Amino acid sequence: MQLIPGEDLTAHVRGAFVAAFGHLPEAMAKAPGRVNLIGEHTDYHGGLCLPIALPHATWAAVRGRDDTAVRLVSTWGGEWHGTLAERPEGWASYILGALRATGHRGGLEVLVDSTVPVGAGLSSSAALICAVALATSSAPVEELVAPCVRAESEEVGAPTGGLDQTVALLGAAGHALLLDFASAARQQVPWEPGRAGLELLVVDTRTRHEHAAGGYADRRRESEEALAAEADELSPLHRRRRRHVVSENARVSALVAALHGGDWPRVGALMTASHESLRHDFEVSCAELDAVVDTALAHGALGARMTGGGFGGCAIVLSPVGMRDTVLTEISSAYAARGWPQPAALLATASAPATRL
Ligand code: GLA
């Protein structure tokens, strides 16, 4: 399995902007995708999460116009022309959502490109929103978190919880970002598995089940009901949803403590326990994700879990550096044996947050 590269697209994006619009951009920014190490389906409950920013990022190059026209070019999605008042579908909706949420006025030319696999659960949408917001606004990065969350939840209408945009804007190289959505507290936690001879692989199942958006909204509603009700009045389903949220928050704290103590086997075990909870109690995993996790664990990984919203997308695998080929080859064989399309993989080092270029 080849690793998906996370190369620097700055020069390429500048050149592509000139080719598309006939002049240089006024400003450029890039924002990373993310993986969540642990703390899944907790952000919208005021819970704890521990994401890292990926080396894979989205670039936005922009230039203002004298009229009110908005002209968008995406190297993967084509072109869109219109005005700020319009509500297109697809990738253009994230760009217009970012512009409206940050209070942008006036016409604009925008070109975007990305190394974040699109639609894989690595927050390509948050990376796009944050890159556009940063390129077009002069506000301090910290002040862009709330508008970027609103861009996705209110402008695009995806009921997500804020983890993705927060780490894209405020993550740090070599660190995971501990987020407490109850108090809004944030803390950088050193994340350097390489020092222990380990690495974090992201395996993209390349599946996105059709009910992903509806499933996310259903789980959000079910778990909100479960947390609001009296414990002794819960149905078995609501009991499972609640048990996931409560136990997942405890696992985040335990994993941070294990990191501080350098206890990597415990870090791995907590990741795997998180997967089991998402699989059986929250029921957001799927056969492809389970196959990655089970196969990785059977071939030397210290821990593995699905990451993100679930119903397809990606799993993360914490394994010894020397085991990479074995783990990926075994996953590849497991997929081939089931007749599934081959997955893809990338190396997840905790990388820099969004930056103006
Ligand atoms: C998606 C959402 C996040 C979060 C995760 C699940 O990635 O965008 O806000 O809810 O699912 O942890």
Side-chain angles (χ1 to χ4, degrees):
M1 219 184 293
Q2 293 286 323
L3 294 183
I4 301 169
E7 70 272 37
D8 182 359
L9 296 183
T10 309
H12 167 77
V13 166
R14 188 181 291 111
F17 188 95
V18 173
F21 297 112
H23 42 226
L24 281 166
E26 250 164 22
M28 288 177 66
K30 68 166 197 170
R34 65 95 189 90
V35 283
N36 194 14
L37 299 176
I38 198 160
E40 219 65 85
H41 287 278
T42 49
D43 58 349
Y44 52 80
H45 289 307
L48 303 173
C49 314
L50 190 69
I52 61 170
L54 289 174
H56 302 68
T58 294
W59 275 254
V62 303
R63 188 181 181 98
R65 290 175 58 96
D66 294 335
D67 57 15
T68 58
V70 175
R71 301 172 76 88
L72 310 179
V73 177
S74 151
T75 47
W76 71 86
E79 296 187 17
W80 184 88
H81 295 170
T83 67
L84 261 181
E86 286 169 60
R87 301 208 169 245
E89 296 281 305
W91 63 277
S93 71
Y94 295 94
I95 299 181
L96 290 196
L99 295 173
R100 279 196 294 267
T102 53
H104 185 84
R105 307 229 168 276
L108 195 68
E109 292 164 349
V110 183
L111 182 132
V112 290
D113 198 358
S114 185
T115 56
V116 185
V118 173
L122 298 176
S123 289
S124 56
S125 53
L128 177 56
I129 288 169
C130 295
V132 170
L134 210 58
T136 53
S137 158
S138 54
V141 176
E142 178 94 15
E143 288 174 19
L144 288 174
V145 175
C148 286
V149 173
R150 275 203 317 274
E152 186 150 3
S153 60
E154 292 171 19
E155 296 290 341
V156 178
T160 55
L163 129 80
D164 311 334
Q165 297 83 354
T166 310
V167 68
L169 290 167
L170 302 177
H175 292 78
L177 183 61
L178 175 60
L179 297 171
D180 181 343
F181 282 89
S183 65
R186 299 169 190 143
Q187 193 191 325
Q188 301 288 354
V189 179
W191 170 260
E192 294 172 307
R195 285 174 179 263
L198 302 171
E199 64 185 10
L200 190 72
L201 295 165
V202 177
V203 180
D204 177 1
T205 62
R206 288 194 161 143
T207 47
R208 198 78 186 132
H209 289 289
E210 271 171 26
H211 54 284
Y216 183 94
D218 287 347
R219 291 301 179 278
R220 185 170 176 155
R221 181 180 39 76
E222 290 160 2
S223 49
E224 276 162 3
E225 290 163 0
L227 290 165
E230 295 295 331
D232 55 1
E233 288 172 1
L234 292 173
S235 67
L237 179 139
H238 284 97
R239 200 166 298 142
R240 292 200 301 279
R241 302 295 186 256
R242 181 187 179 117
R243 186 167 56 196
H244 168 70
V245 176
V246 172
S247 64
E248 185 75 351
N249 280 319
R251 280 186 291 271
V252 177
S253 302
L255 194 143
V256 170
L259 277 178
H260 286 310
D263 187 350
W264 288 95
R266 173 116 176 102
V267 169
L270 287 160
M271 285 171 52
T272 305
S274 167
H275 184 76
E276 291 306 308
S277 178
L278 289 156
R279 181 178 187 168
H280 299 295
D281 279 354
F282 219 64
E283 295 176 278
V284 289
S285 189
C286 62
E288 293 87 347
L289 286 165
D290 294 342
V292 172
V293 169
D294 294 345
T295 309
L297 291 173
H299 293 91
L302 271 73
R305 60 181 289 274
M306 55 154 279
T307 184
F311 306 103
C314 291
I316 52 176
V317 175
L318 180 67
S319 63
V321 172
M323 294 296 289
R324 186 196 297 172
D325 287 346
T326 306
V327 167
L328 294 181
T329 304
E330 293 293 342
I331 292 171
S332 186
S333 308
Y335 269 57
R338 291 168 172 83
W340 293 338
Q342 280 296 298
L346 56 89
L347 189 59
T349 45
S351 299
T355 36
R356 296 184 171 101
L357 299 163

